[in-house]
Each structure stands twice: as C-alpha cells, then as structure tokens.
Amino acid sequence: MNIFVAKLSSRTKSEDLEQMFGEFGEVTSAKVIMDRETGYSKRFGFVEMPDDSAANAAIENLDDKEFDGSHIVVKKARPREEAAGRGGGRQFRQSR
C-alpha cells in the first residue's frame, strides 16, 4: 500500500519516516518530497508498505499524531489518475 504523509516538520527526513512506519511492519520505501529548486522539504512524503494490514495499522495509529514537532496527517495515497485534475496548467481564452 502507498501511504501519503502530510504536514511534516521541515526537519523530517526520509529515514525518519522509514523508522516511524517500520514499527508497524516492513517498509518498501519512504520518501520526503523535496523542492527541486530550493532543496527544502515540501513537508509531505510517501511510504510504501507491502502488507496492507500493517499499513492500515500504521495509518490508524499515526494519523493526527505529533511527530518531530508537527501533527501529521497519514492516509492511503490516491492513485495518480485521481490526483491529476487538481490545478496546474492555465487555460487562456482567445481574444476576439
């Protein structure tokens, strides 16, 4: 299962996510998303866990908990197709 983690502290690293979620089971990957231009954390990330029951336990136990000075949001990640329509490109009208 792919898990979305938001409202992270700017100090939280990928290794911190892996350790936190590892308490509930095997973690395939854990990544805090960084801004390409500034190198700063975007304050959200993703964790992949192969066992759905362990992933659900992590979500249930970690959502709205304090971690590294922030109350984090933890939920099942939506597939990219569902998130694709959220903003981004601008549409311009042709002038007459």
Side-chain angles (χ1 to χ4, degrees), residues 4 6 12 35 46 74 78 84-85:
F4 174 70
T12 303
D35 185 283
F46 295 93
V74 181
R78 295 184 299 181

Side-chain angles (χ1 to χ4, degrees), residues 32-53:
V32 172
I33 305 303
M34 306 299 281
D35 185 283
R36 281 185 239 160
E37 291 181 24
T38 65
Y40 293 120
S41 170
K42 288 194 168 188
R43 301 188 64 197
F44 70 91
F46 295 93
V47 176
E48 290 184 38
M49 299 179 75
D51 180 359
D52 283 355
S53 62

Side-chain angles (χ1 to χ4, degrees), residues 62-83:
L62 297 174
D63 185 42
D64 198 34
K65 298 294 184 210
E66 191 271 330
F67 180 72
D68 207 8
S70 294
H71 276 78
I72 61 174
V73 173
V74 181
K75 59 186 176 180
K76 183 176 179 180
R78 295 184 299 181
R80 277 192 176 270
E81 299 80 44
E82 289 181 30

